[in-house]
Amino acid sequence: MASARTSAGEEAKASPFVLRPLPQRIGFLTGETNASYMQRLAWANGLETAELLRQLGSGLAEPMQPGEAELRLNAAALERLSVLTSCPIAHLQRALRCLHDEFLLAEPISTAAWTWERTPPGLPGLLQGCHRCAAAKGAHHPVFIWSGMPWQVCRRHGCWLDTTPGQEAVRALLRSCMPSVLNAEHRRIRFERRLGSRGRILFADALSACAYWWNNPRLSLPVWIERQRPFRALDYSAPFPALVVIYPEVMQLAQMFAQWDRQSLADQPNPDAWERQMDRLFRSWGRPFEVDEVRLPVELWLHRHRSHTLSSSRAPQWHPSVGLARALSECVPRHSPRAVGGLPAAWGSGRVCRSDMAAEWGLCPGNGARTSCTFGPSATRSTGCAGR
């Protein structure tokens, strides 16, 4: 026993400090970033974030905010975090996906170290998480989560999450629309789980097509006009609340694209059946499918998709204006790093999920361009009902 006590004492002298578990433990939030979790852990224990980081090892002295960058640890720093939180390393890695082995710093191995890493452009972004989920874990300050898209829906509380917080008044006003948005979100999740990355591409294609109708006041679907009618004063030029209005139809169109995709892969396309299905779908939306300008995005998708098109007399052509092309270039469902969504993309690789139709429309002007639809200032549109 004496030798054990002596060796322990010598170890304590050799170390600058002895790590002890922090008195307060906190719960984990789904998809939360390391940086956000560390900040919550520090605050719960009455510490400054920089003070907690000093206990984890050495790193950059320049402080950064959790909404600006991610905190990456090496294996030795992860071991220290395990001691501080009284959580096994395996538990931490399950809860905080960016602590997975592939995202740990490779060097130095023997010295505990951490660093800040800004999110590269074109990769999944940091969103402000659901405040109600955070409050349930005792957090009353903003928390941040990883997202494979520039927006997300909290399916538990019906909250819209994006990179532009501070729209509480708008969110409250549109709360009555959230049941249909939540239903569309559930369908999208199931759709992408079933079809994998191809499902995400088809969703991006459907979003591109719907944005074409949305950005052209003459083609905006009557169902969207009715959905907007109670909220005339809102600015629909931003992704939120525009996507709230069109999300259900985006999912319906994505599922129609998936039907044709399955038939094409099996070399059994049936253009007549497809035409009847699309006609029924558009009539349920209050818009005739026979109008050339209405069907243009769908025909273009078919024409570029395995060389099938409904119209044999012409190859659909569309060259959007610079403003509209820019408006269709932002809100892309992108590949997530493995720590986020299980899709095959390396951290910092800059890969995105290419939308077939957006690429053909010239909406991805270069490598790494984002390829889905946004509703930005250049897409500001006006309809009689919305008063815009």
Side-chain angles (χ1 to χ4, degrees):
M1 290 294 293
S3 62
R5 283 194 297 270
T6 301
S7 62
E10 290 173 352
E11 181 180 348
K13 290 179 183 178
S15 303
F17 60 88
V18 177
L19 280 181
R20 295 185 177 86
L22 295 170
Q24 296 295 325
R25 298 180 62 178
I26 62 173
F28 296 100
L29 293 170
T30 302
E32 189 174 16
T33 67
N34 295 344
S36 179
Y37 173 78
M38 299 299 176
Q39 186 178 73
R40 290 198 300 118
L41 183 64
W43 288 346
N45 287 277
L47 302 172
E48 294 292 333
T49 305
E51 186 178 352
L52 175 60
L53 292 179
R54 281 195 293 272
Q55 297 190 50
L56 288 180
S58 60
L60 293 176
E62 179 187 1
M64 298 191 75
Q65 297 300 316
E68 300 173 352
E70 177 60 305
L71 186 69
R72 295 185 62 190
L73 312 181
N74 69 353
L78 177 56
E79 290 179 5
R80 289 192 177 192
L81 180 62
S82 177
V83 173
L84 289 170
T85 58
S86 301
C87 284
I89 289 176
H91 186 180
L92 288 170
Q93 290 184 316
R94 284 195 300 271
L96 298 169
R97 297 170 180 175
C98 287
L99 288 180
H100 288 189
D101 289 341
E102 61 263 37
F103 298 111
L104 295 179
L105 296 175
E107 296 178 338
I109 301 297
S110 58
T111 304
W114 48 266
T115 188
W116 291 101
E117 182 173 298
R118 291 188 182 274
T119 309
L123 277 186
L126 303 178
L127 306 186
Q128 185 168 317
C130 172
H131 68 281
R132 294 176 64 183
C133 288
K137 301 295 183 180
H140 300 287
H141 298 279
V143 298
F144 295 89
I145 60 174
W146 281 110
S147 175
M149 296 189 290
W151 49 267
Q152 197 174 111
V153 177
C154 174
R155 288 173 283 162
R156 175 175 296 176
H157 298 113
C159 295
W160 182 274
L161 313 174
D162 58 29
T163 57
T164 55
Q167 301 187 67
E168 286 76 12
V170 176
R171 290 181 171 90
L173 193 60
L174 286 171
R175 195 162 292 154
S176 62
C177 297
M178 288 311 294
S180 64
V181 172
L182 284 171
N183 180 55
E185 175 75 356
H186 282 291
R187 291 171 64 185
R188 182 184 68 82
I189 297 297
R190 291 194 300 267
F191 183 74
E192 292 184 3
R193 284 176 179 168
R194 179 167 54 88
L195 298 181
S197 60
R198 187 62 187 158
R200 178 158 287 197
I201 292 171
L202 292 172
F203 174 76
D205 287 342
L207 186 54
S208 296
C210 287
Y212 169 70
W213 298 314
W214 168 265
N215 283 289
N216 189 328
R218 294 182 299 103
L219 303 179
S220 188
L221 302 182
V223 66
W224 294 342
I225 296 174
E226 288 301 314
R227 207 170 284 154
Q228 292 172 259
R229 197 178 296 279
F231 315 108
R232 296 172 182 268
L234 293 186
D235 176 11
Y236 288 92
S237 65
F240 180 87
L243 192 53
V244 171
V245 174
I246 73 171
Y247 199 176
E249 286 68 40
V250 170
M251 273 313 306
Q252 288 180 312
L253 187 60
Q255 289 171 321
M256 292 295 293
F257 282 169
Q259 288 184 29
W260 181 265
D261 195 53
R262 284 194 302 271
Q263 294 176 13
S264 296
L265 289 173
D267 292 323
Q268 296 175 335
N270 187 334
D272 292 335
W274 164 271
E275 180 87 6
R276 289 192 296 270
Q277 289 174 333
M278 291 301 297
D279 184 68
R280 286 195 295 269
L281 178 64
F282 272 75
R283 291 196 181 281
S284 72
W285 292 348
R287 177 68 67 192
F289 188 55
E290 295 84 357
V291 179
D292 283 347
E293 198 173 3
V294 170
R295 64 190 294 146
L296 180 59
V298 176
E299 285 205 348
L300 182 58
W301 183 83
L302 288 166
H303 180 71
R304 300 306 187 191
H305 188 78
R306 293 182 168 266
S307 300
H308 293 299
T309 180
L310 294 178
S311 174
S312 57
S313 61
R314 64 182 177 90
Q317 300 291 330
W318 181 48
H319 302 286
S321 66
V322 173
L324 182 54
R326 190 183 307 117
L328 295 173
S329 67
E330 288 287 327
C331 202
V332 182
R334 290 161 287 182
H335 275 312
S336 310
R338 283 168 295 183
V340 178
L343 294 176
W347 186 283
S349 68
R351 289 182 58 194
V352 296
C353 183
R354 303 283 294 188
S355 164
D356 295 346
M357 186 159 61
E360 292 295 341
W361 284 356
L363 307 183
C364 340
N367 291 335
R370 290 174 290 179
T371 58
S372 141
C373 309
T374 199
F375 310 82
S378 60
T380 301
R381 51 192 293 281
S382 60
T383 61
C385 74
R388 301 190 304 279

